[in-house]
Amino acid sequence: MTLAVFFGCSFIAFGPALGLCLFSVVREPLRVIILVAGKAIEGLVALSEDGCSPISIQQMAYVAGLGFGLMSGAFSMINLLADALGPGTVGIHGDSQLYFLTSAFMTMVMIFLHTFWGILFFHGCETQRWWEMVAVIFTHLIVSGLTFWNPLYLGSLIPSYLLMFATAAWAYVLSGGCTQNLLRSLQGQQSETSPQPGS
Amino acid sequence: MAAGAGWRMGAGERGRRGAETLFRGLLFCVLGCGFCWGNSVERKIYIPLNKTAPCVRLLNATHQIGCQSSMNGDTGVIHVVEKAQDLKWVLTDGPHPPYMVLLDGELFTRELMLQLKGSSRISGLAVAISKPSPAQGFSPGLKCPNDGFGVYSNDYGPQYAHCNWTAWNPLGNGLAYEDFNFPIFLLEDANETQVIKQCYQDHNLPQNGSVPEYPLCAMQLFAHMHAVTNTVTCMRRSSLQTAFSLNPEEVCDALSDYNVWSTLKPINTSSKINPLDEVIIVATRIDSHSFFWNVAPGAESAVASFVTHLAAAEALHKVPDVQMLPRNIMFTFFQGETFDYIGSSRMVYDMKMDKFPIRLDNIHSFLELSQVALRNSSVLWVHTDPVSRRNDSIQPQVETLVEALINSSVGANVTLQEVGQSQPLPPSSFQRFLRAKSIPGVVLADHRTSFQNRYYQSMYDTAENILMKYPEGLSPEETLDYVTDTAKSLAEVATVVARALYQLAGGTGNTSAIQADPRTVSRMLYGFLIKTNNSWFQSIIKQDLKGLLGDELPQHYIAVTTLVNTTQLVQYVLANLTGTVVNFTKEECLNPEKTPNPEKEMYVYTWVQGSRDPNSTSRVPFCVQSTVHLTKAASPAFELKQWGSTEYSTWTESRWKDIRARIFLIASKELESTLEAIAEADI
């Protein structure tokens, strides 16, 4: 369906996640390593001078989650984007015309969800709260199950987005955030309790 | 960090890592395989059209003909044209050009095509084959086939040159010899045509006089041809590539294949025959053509003629005293005659250059079978060349020839009549021999002036065109053995030809016993026009040639690959009908030179797989001794590197990478802009 659809769908699916990547990961080389290689923590510890992990566990959770999210987004979206480059659009067998658009939005929500699930799961592992881990798995299954509503796209996208916002809020709270910090950051002021590296 | 703890963690870690890698590997394989085995998103978007035939580009010394598409295919909104008024939407009124026209076969005429050719609102054309064939006839060939390459020119019979006397193919509209800059495909399957029309009706029809809305049904045709301009240009480019490039990209190939020939009395092909020996040449062509690539059923223009020829050869070989006849008979099947006499011009060239065992001086007379299946009230016309007949030595020999033919027709349901003595020869291989030397000869045809064949060199020249009718409800085996009226009629012609040849070769016995077998003719017609994969053909071919026989309709186009199916099948059928079974083992048959016997040099031995026993699944192979040979049928222009030659055929076929067709929906530009806007907002 031409270049316009190709770029449109890629930006919808990956834009926000790449934005997150750009603002929070790319500047710190260690975070880039974790984004790409996930389980590099032992290697990093071995390389560090004082034997401690140079990156906090929350940062690792966030970056690892983002990495997994981007990977899953790539796997689900690349093959669609390759077909989006061609001259045709979905619909000759009666499927909905909005297939590419809704797939892009679904991919975006999955990338965000993976990021937040990463934070929740790591927190659950660190603090031995098994119910957080179960919640992550459970919500993963719910979101996958919601896709059975397709092509009734409202039935799959809206609940997924609501679940994403809920998971985002939970992950934010677990990372030590509070509403005051949120309001201050929205107003452009720096937060007083930002997590320090190494804690 | 304690070394021991680290080491223990390392082992456990390695085990976990191993399992993870294995899991990731498996996942990758599954996803990768899913990618390769039919991308399901692609299947949601495109419907491929599988039963199509493209129009490709052919080139000769001065022109290019055929069709061309863009490098990445041509796309257009589908519009179905079922009557002439529908064309107005495509040419002027439609709001979404360019259009891809789906044309009914009846409307595929020269006038309409020239209108489309001049328009920039057409991106391609799909023609739905018309069933039944158009009643008014259809021939994309020229009105004057092979003009300029026959014998008549400004130096030889100028009043007959360029069909001044009679247009042989008056229905010929010359479409196959036009150059189109958009792709044209043939839709062979009526079901696929219906799918396209359904998509058109669902999406492209204007509702209540308003403009049809997006999404619209569109078609994309891929048929990009690499060669341009003419043969001189494309052969020059190809030879530069071959000479200087490590990975040569040739752009065109010469049309070439092999001629099949066999002699009644065996001759030694490694040397020339005695200059005093006389040979009578019997000739037919075995190829045809149409507007579309590799669609060439050629029933009346080629198949009926060579089947008759094969039946006459079989009848002659059954006569007991043929090995004692004073003159020899050479049964020749020329390939490529449709393209300015490729096969016959090459044989004449080889004879002149002494590369062929028989020389032009050995030829006593020439008998050609042109189109013979549509005889009107059982008349078979005898055509001769008026210019050579003015020669006092040729005239009596031609009269002897004609007399022998007329004598042989007594008692058979064939009436031989001579055409007017001032009438020229129709397009025939005999004309190429006359160019080299005046030889007495005749061409037998079912037409007096213009062709009886209303579908000359078109996709409609099929079994129906020669009135082959089978009763309903027969199995394939029963159909193979059923003798049609067409077969009986052609067998009569073969009988007349065989008897005449016997007399011309100096035979003195009674000819009434010489009879062509209608059952053999019928089986050959079935095999060459309906299905090559039948039990008889299976039993006469070599063991390792399974790919030769197919279930689809046989096509007889010369192509650029060597030894097309038609040539090979004619070779095996001729060997079976004229050869003898010898009691050799497989080793002896495949290596005849190992057993010393001077006789063996005169024959060709073929190990054929034999017929299947009705009870078992194995076949009983045997060795066939015959005199069937193949000689190259490639135009001398390519041997001599005279690519711009006007003397010899210079036809080449372009190369291409990708030929396919598909349909899909296209979305409006507005939807795309909305998408872009959302994306930008996102970022």
Side-chain angles (χ1 to χ4, degrees), chain A:
Chain A
M1 219 182 117
T2 74
L3 234 45
V5 174
F6 173 78
F7 282 116
C9 288
S10 356
F11 291 151
I12 290 173
F14 295 108
L18 286 175
L20 275 179
C21 209
L22 205 65
F23 288 121
S24 54
V25 174
V26 161
R27 292 182 194 167
E28 301 276 326
L30 290 173
R31 294 182 194 173
V32 175
I33 294 173
I34 299 295
L35 181 82
V36 174
K39 292 267 191 174
I41 194 65
E42 285 86 11
L44 289 174
V45 168
L47 284 173
S48 76
E49 286 170 349
D50 54 3
C52 297
S53 167
I55 188 173
S56 81
I57 199 71
Q58 289 99 327
Q59 286 179 14
M60 216 182 79
Y62 162 70
V63 173
L66 185 61
F68 268 106
L70 285 171
M71 255 200 308
S72 113
F75 268 98
S76 43
M77 214 44 203
I78 292 287
N79 118 31
L80 251 80
L81 290 175
D83 284 315
L85 272 177
T89 185
V90 173
I92 200 165
H93 294 289
D95 305 300
S96 163
Q97 274 258 291
L98 299 172
Y99 184 81
F100 286 123
L101 197 61
T102 51
S103 303
F105 277 111
M106 196 69 198
T107 307
M108 173 165 73
V109 86
M110 286 300 286
I111 297 178
F112 279 133
L113 276 170
H114 271 97
T115 316
F116 304 134
W117 283 332
I119 298 172
L120 289 176
F121 204 83
F122 269 70
H123 187 263
C125 290
E126 288 293 308
T127 55
Q128 311 282 336
R129 287 185 198 166
W130 59 267
W131 51 272
E132 281 181 7
M133 296 187 272
V134 166
V136 165
I137 296 171
F138 195 57
T139 44
H140 202 315
L141 285 172
I142 289 181
V143 173
S144 305
L146 280 173
T147 59
F148 282 119
W149 280 107
N150 291 339
L152 190 65
Y153 292 118
L154 291 178
S156 68
L157 280 177
I158 293 181
S160 305
Y161 272 87
L162 292 174
L163 215 58
M164 190 264 283
F165 286 123
T167 328
W170 191 3
Y172 182 67
V173 163
L174 284 182
S175 305
C178 55
T179 34
Q180 287 161 319
N181 283 341
L182 183 63
L183 289 168
R184 273 201 218 113
S185 71
L186 284 174
Q187 286 166 4
Q189 291 171 15
Q190 198 159 11
S191 163
E192 287 171 11
T193 56
S194 56
Q196 300 297 324
S199 63

Side-chain angles (χ1 to χ4, degrees), chain B residues 584 588 591-597 600:
Chain B
F584 286 1
E588 286 172 358
N591 304 304
E593 62 276 0
K594 295 234 175 98
T595 39
N597 184 345
K600 296 232 170 90

